[in-house]
Amino acid sequence: MTEIIAAFVQFPSLGHWVNEPNRGRLSMSLKTVLAIVGATDTAPDISFAIEFATEHDAHLSILIIAATLQPAAADYPIASDWVEQMQDEINTLHRIRQQAEDLCQMSDVSFDVDFLYEDIFIAQSNIGMRAMYSDIVLVGPGLRGDAQLRRAVVAATAFDSRTPLLLVPNTGLSSLKPKNVLVAWNSRPEAAFAAKAALEMLIAAEEVHLVLVDPDSAYFRSGDEPGADIAAFLARHGVKVIVEQLASAGRRTEDVLRQHARELGCDMMVMGAYGHSRLRERIFGGVTASILQDCNVPVFMAR
């Protein structure tokens, strides 16, 4: 079991809890869902997106993306092969779009489907623009398996549009009506924004674990009692919150969070995206990059 330095439960004097008959009925108000799909392992991602949009009675926009190939040389034989390969990839995207349209029509969900086949930097700009007009962006396991596209999607969404993301695990099971939520807290604005963006979901949950790993108790970092201020804020909104301070014992923060989520049986993790600069994240990795690549529970991420 993960070592717990300290834990304190609830804050009954700071606010009232949501009435039990209403608990679990609240959900985030979603009208437009943007699902980003890659060019491989697409069927599960599309199916989940349809189920998710149907659950929330929301319009579903499916955007299929692939990065264009760069020519290896300028001489004619290689250039010819390059053009043929590009055409093959475009044909694949057309087939995926038709598959997505067929599945959406069968489900009777409101939808539109499009694809991007562009340079990765241009694609990132277009993804950010489309995410700006969506309530949430879905990233399924198929896309998460492509490191280049994964980074582009998250950077475009987290930085350019500031739209929340829902990262779907390999099981494909995810909902914005979780019962047991882990909130990763580090006293940074990104974490606060994520908690506020997920507030309706947290109010409806039966348990919310506010988890700090090796918290800094310096006054200007986390206050006298790390986690107390944000816990009080959440409790005033009716969140049933438990604060847990965990010792990493030399392990990576993301490993501690993943293990603790498993131990608690959490069905959602809430966290802020990119606590450091994007350049530093790309060079050294970091919690965001690791969680993006591998997490056994759904992750609601915002910045």
Side-chain angles (χ1 to χ4, degrees), residues 5 19 43 45 47 80 97 153 172 175 191 208 231 234 239 241 248:
I5 301 173
N19 292 332
D45 288 6
S47 296
S80 177
R97 181 170 66 178
V153 169
S175 170
V208 174
L234 294 174
V239 178
V241 60
S248 66

Side-chain angles (χ1 to χ4, degrees), residues 43-272:
D45 288 6
I46 294 171
S47 296
F48 170 76
I50 292 172
E51 293 174 6
F52 185 89
T54 301
E55 177 186 359
H56 293 277
D57 193 24
H59 178 83
L60 174 62
S61 289
I62 297 177
L63 182 61
I64 307 155
I65 62 172
T68 55
L69 296 169
Q70 298 300 318
D75 56 287
Y76 178 77
I78 294 180
S80 177
D81 291 342
W82 172 66
V83 170
E84 290 179 4
Q85 189 170 352
M86 285 185 65
Q87 187 59 55
D88 287 343
E89 293 198 348
I90 292 173
N91 292 340
T92 297
L93 294 176
H94 277 292
R95 288 195 295 271
I96 296 171
R97 181 170 66 178
Q98 186 61 57
Q99 176 191 25
E101 289 176 347
D102 292 344
L103 290 172
C104 288
Q105 288 171 350
M106 291 172 58
S107 68
D108 199 31
V109 68
S110 173
F111 74 95
D112 64 83
V113 182
D114 198 1
F115 71 81
L116 293 177
Y117 187 62
E118 299 171 330
D119 176 87
I120 191 65
F121 297 105
I122 298 175
Q124 180 174 318
S125 177
N126 284 328
I127 292 165
M129 182 66 70
R130 293 174 188 241
M132 188 160 49
Y133 306 112
S134 305
D135 294 302
I136 195 167
V137 175
L138 302 184
V139 178
L143 183 72
R144 290 176 73 179
D146 187 316
Q148 183 185 40
L149 293 180
R150 182 179 69 233
R151 286 194 298 266
V153 169
V154 176
T157 306
F159 278 87
D160 300 338
S161 72
R162 301 294 179 95
T163 303
L165 298 98
L166 182 61
L167 307 174
V168 184
N170 291 330
T171 60
L173 301 176
S174 184
S175 170
L176 290 186
K177 300 178 183 179
K179 296 181 179 180
N180 191 348
V181 183
L182 185 152
V183 177
W185 183 251
N186 60 4
S187 301
R188 289 177 176 167
E190 296 85 3
F193 184 84
K196 291 175 182 178
L199 189 56
E200 292 183 41
M201 180 170 62
L202 300 181
I203 291 171
E206 296 176 2
E207 296 181 41
V208 174
H209 299 263
L210 188 80
V211 177
L212 303 88
V213 179
D214 296 334
D216 185 345
S217 59
Y219 179 77
F220 289 106
R221 288 286 300 161
S222 302
D224 294 335
E225 186 60 58
D229 290 342
I230 185 63
F233 168 83
L234 294 174
R236 292 188 187 106
H237 281 278
V239 178
K240 191 174 181 181
V241 60
I242 302 168
V243 178
E244 299 180 63
Q245 300 176 8
L246 307 182
S248 66
R251 294 171 297 160
R252 299 185 305 171
T253 297
E254 55 268 35
D255 293 335
V256 175
L257 292 173
R258 279 190 287 251
Q259 179 184 341
H260 201 56
R262 288 194 299 269
E263 292 171 352
L264 294 172
C266 292
D267 49 359
M268 179 69 70
M269 182 186 298
V270 173
M271 65 178 295

